[in-house]
Amino acid sequence: MQPLPGFRDFYPPDFAFRQLLFSRWREICRRFNFVEYDGPVLESLELYQKKSGEEILNQIYHFLDKGNRIVALRPEMTPTLARMIEAHYKEYKKPIKWFSIPQLFRYERAQKGRLREHFQLNCDIIGEADLEADIELMNLAIDILRSFGLGKEDFIVRISDRQFWSEFLTKKGVAIEEWYQFFQAIDKIERDPKEEIERRLGGLAKEVFELIEKPCYWERFDVVLEGLRHRKLEEYARIDLRIVRGLAYYTGIVYEIFDKAGKFRAIAGGGRYDDLLKLFGGEDIPAAGFGMGDVVLGEILKEKRLLEPSFPRLDVYVVFPEGKKNALGLLLIEQLRSSGFSVEFSFHPLKMKKQLAQAQSLNARFALFVTEKIAEGFVELKNMDERKQFVIPVEQLVGFLEKKE
RNA sequence: GCGGCCGUAGCUCAAUUGGCAGAGCACCAGAUUGUGGCUCUGGGUGUUGCGGGUUCAAGUCCCGUCGGUCGCCCCA
């Protein structure tokens, strides 16, 4: 039996890697005073139809439950967040700064950096319209990557603005129904041949290419870049009008973070979505956020060997010579564990040589020899690294081990 | 959903024109009757992904299927 296509098993080393990644995410979010939340993995499909439109439906993992509800494994966190925020918006001081590490799902063929399931750090600032919030989010994303040891030679934040293109298209008199096609074409510039893009852009092609090559002055970019400059982060970012992002709900600054070598998919992406919350409660609430998945980032960190989890050492391996366990020894094991030490022993009788080999392969700090002498209050403790062994009274054991911490 | 490549032991892989399924690592046991990393010896742990077909004979060739991988579509 294997996991379903596109799903992963996390064996202990994989799980340790994942936990280390998550703990780093949490730590940096805490520094920016974001607090963690979560929501249901399963949502009504309607939640996603509300904002995404019908064509995205075949990408969603959805099915009929036993109550004949059409349910979906969450493909993204933002709709859940929007629903949660809308229901309790008034309770919270603004701006609301929340993060989550949801497991997300999509129904499509797996490929490099894209599985049917992944974990994605989501950071959002809600109730703040100022561009400073967008800058804060970019700052957070950059600091997270830097905390892993990635530098400006490793990644770049490519920043664009939906409003820039909206204004351009309005000025050119392009009907709103055609905007989607336009954004699709922009999005493909890096992958499709130039002639194909020119055909799709039609009369606007020449001007669009010029703008992308050398954007004209746009005050909002100035504000963002100035904000990054104040933080000495300008070298981590650049304006790039080719970034539009697929999601329909973005309304302002959008950005994606890529590895500089161009070997991987986007590491993170985000933007402002000021109109989305309105769909859930009618209230006009500004919001912005980004997502960062565990798959692409994990691939990069593994390639660069920047995140190598280590397992904690075993404190004590209890050796019963000749495999003869006794009640006092087993009680001592229980007492040591109650005192907070990790303790292991062989369940079945083993020769002493085997027991010590076990202790070593488990990376134990100490081997504790328990013989009949425990009845008189004595055991022998062996420091596995120094290979030194000595008799110690049972009542001094905990104190000694604590001192050694 | 579509296309390319791939599928042999727990892992990495080998097996000539179709001719007895193997190696290293890992694992288990012993050498060693109270003390760990080394060494030596022994053990193959397998439905060659699965199901058909061709053939005296299939890991090898053909068809189907499942899975992996890379790409397309789409991108949260």
Side-chain angles (χ1 to χ4, degrees):
Chain A
M1 289 289 279
Q2 290 173 314
L4 289 169
F7 285 78
R8 298 171 288 176
D9 289 326
F10 288 87
Y11 287 85
D14 312 310
F15 191 78
F17 183 88
R18 182 178 117 186
Q19 287 298 91
L20 192 54
L21 185 77
F22 288 4
S23 64
R24 199 69 63 83
W25 277 350
R26 291 196 166 97
E27 165 60 16
I28 311 302
C29 285
R30 186 196 62 76
R31 292 186 201 172
F32 281 71
N33 197 34
F34 279 64
V35 291
E36 190 166 4
Y37 70 98
D38 200 358
V41 168
L42 204 61
E43 292 270 17
S44 151
L45 183 62
E46 204 189 340
L47 180 70
Y48 306 106
Q49 287 170 311
K50 209 161 195 167
K51 48 124 268 212
S52 303
E54 301 299 320
E55 88 282 353
I56 214 82
L57 242 66
N58 39 18
Q59 308 284 98
I60 293 180
Y61 217 117
H62 69 272
F63 53 92
L64 211 56
D65 76 1
K66 292 181 181 179
N68 278 325
R69 284 173 285 259
I70 307 172
V71 295
L73 286 165
R74 60 187 176 194
E76 57 167 326
M77 198 57 178
T78 310
T80 298
L81 173 65
R83 197 198 60 226
M84 288 169 67
I85 289 290
E86 190 281 322
H88 294 274
Y89 184 62
K90 290 186 166 56
E91 290 173 34
Y92 296 100
K93 285 198 195 320
K94 317 307 180 280
I96 295 167
K97 295 161 75 178
W98 283 6
F99 79 96
S100 189
I101 306 180
Q103 188 172 23
L104 305 178
F105 306 84
R106 51 163 75 88
Y107 197 85
E108 59 171 18
R109 198 74 176 255
Q111 50 186 294
K112 190 176 170 60
R114 283 192 98 196
L115 307 172
R116 283 188 169 179
E117 150 275 320
H118 70 134
F119 291 90
Q120 188 187 64
L121 171 68
N122 274 249
C123 299
D124 291 271
I125 296 179
I126 293 137
E128 179 58 70
D130 199 289
L131 279 176
E132 198 67 39
D134 301 74
I135 299 167
E136 175 87 336
L137 285 162
M138 288 182 216
N139 190 164
L140 171 55
I142 291 168
D143 275 13
I144 287 170
L145 295 181
R146 290 204 297 188
S147 82
F148 288 109
L150 295 168
K152 54 180 182 289
E153 62 287 342
D154 298 310
F155 69 90
I156 184 83
V157 185
R158 296 162 61 185
I159 303 166
S160 182
D161 189 359
R162 280 275 175 95
Q163 282 188 23
F164 178 91
W165 286 120
S166 308
E167 191 175 293
F168 173 80
L169 291 171
T170 306
K171 215 183 288 176
K172 295 292 165 191
V174 178
I176 286 191
E177 302 79 59
E178 290 169 41
W179 286 19
Y180 177 77
Q181 287 300 320
F182 177 83
F183 286 132
Q184 286 290 97
I186 300 284
D187 195 41
K188 297 267 185 302
I189 282 177
E190 282 172 277
R191 269 178 309 171
D192 290 358
K194 195 174 179 187
E195 303 75 51
E196 169 69 15
I197 301 296
E198 277 172 343
R199 192 186 58 73
R200 294 174 65 171
L201 290 175
L204 298 174
K206 188 163 176 285
E207 206 168 338
V208 166
F209 281 126
E210 278 172 8
L211 276 173
I212 286 168
E213 198 100 346
K214 197 173 185 302
C216 60
Y217 178 79
W218 182 249
E219 193 191 351
R220 288 157 53 81
F221 286 150
D222 225 41
V223 173
V224 170
L225 291 177
E226 183 70 4
L228 292 172
R229 201 171 300 124
H230 289 153
R231 294 161 169 80
K232 295 218 187 312
L233 297 175
E234 71 273 23
E235 288 184 289
Y236 291 92
R238 67 155 185 265
I239 301 302
D240 190 332
L241 291 172
R242 289 172 297 186
I243 301 298
V244 291
R245 293 189 59 71
L247 279 178
Y249 55 68
Y250 286 114
T251 55
I253 294 291
V254 290
Y255 45 93
E256 288 184 1
I257 306 181
F258 287 89
D259 69 297
K260 273 204 166 163
K263 274 179 66 179
F264 299 92
R265 290 174 172 279
I267 301 167
R272 179 163 283 280
Y273 50 96
D274 284 345
D275 295 337
L276 183 63
L277 282 281
K278 204 159 39 186
L279 289 178
F280 290 87
E283 203 166 349
D284 225 334
I285 302 170
F290 70 84
M292 181 183 291
D294 73 313
V295 180
V296 172
L297 181 57
E299 283 171 354
I300 291 170
L301 295 177
K302 275 178 181 146
E303 188 194 68
K304 297 185 186 289
R305 293 215 170 80
L306 287 173
L307 194 67
E308 314 229 317
S310 57
F311 289 88
R313 294 190 74 170
L314 175 68
D315 292 318
V316 178
Y317 186 94
V318 174
V319 175
F320 291 104
E322 293 307 294
K324 283 185 242 164
K325 290 194 266 290
N326 58 58
L328 286 173
L330 293 168
L331 178 62
L332 180 57
I333 288 170
E334 172 56 18
Q335 286 166 342
L336 286 172
R337 286 174 171 165
S338 297
S339 301
F341 299 104
S342 56
V343 185
E344 181 75 280
F345 66 100
S346 173
F347 297 148
H348 60 274
L350 276 183
K351 288 180 180 172
M352 187 169 303
K353 187 185 180 79
K354 276 286 172 206
Q355 294 185 69
L356 279 159
Q358 284 278 346
Q360 171 151 318
S361 73
L362 291 167
N363 196 21
R365 293 164 55 221
F366 293 97
L368 182 67
F369 292 78
V370 175
T371 62
E372 323 68 69
K373 279 197 290 186
I374 191 172
E376 296 152 38
F378 294 98
V379 289
E380 284 187 47
L381 192 63
K382 178 173 189 170
N383 184 312
M384 290 296 285
D385 299 328
E386 296 165 11
R387 291 175 171 253
K388 283 188 193 142
Q389 188 171 335
F390 50 92
V391 175
I392 182 168
V394 171
E395 67 265 20
Q396 287 178 23
L397 194 56
V398 168
F400 180 84
L401 291 171
E402 274 168 354
K403 210 165 57 195
K404 278 290 206 174
E405 287 290 330

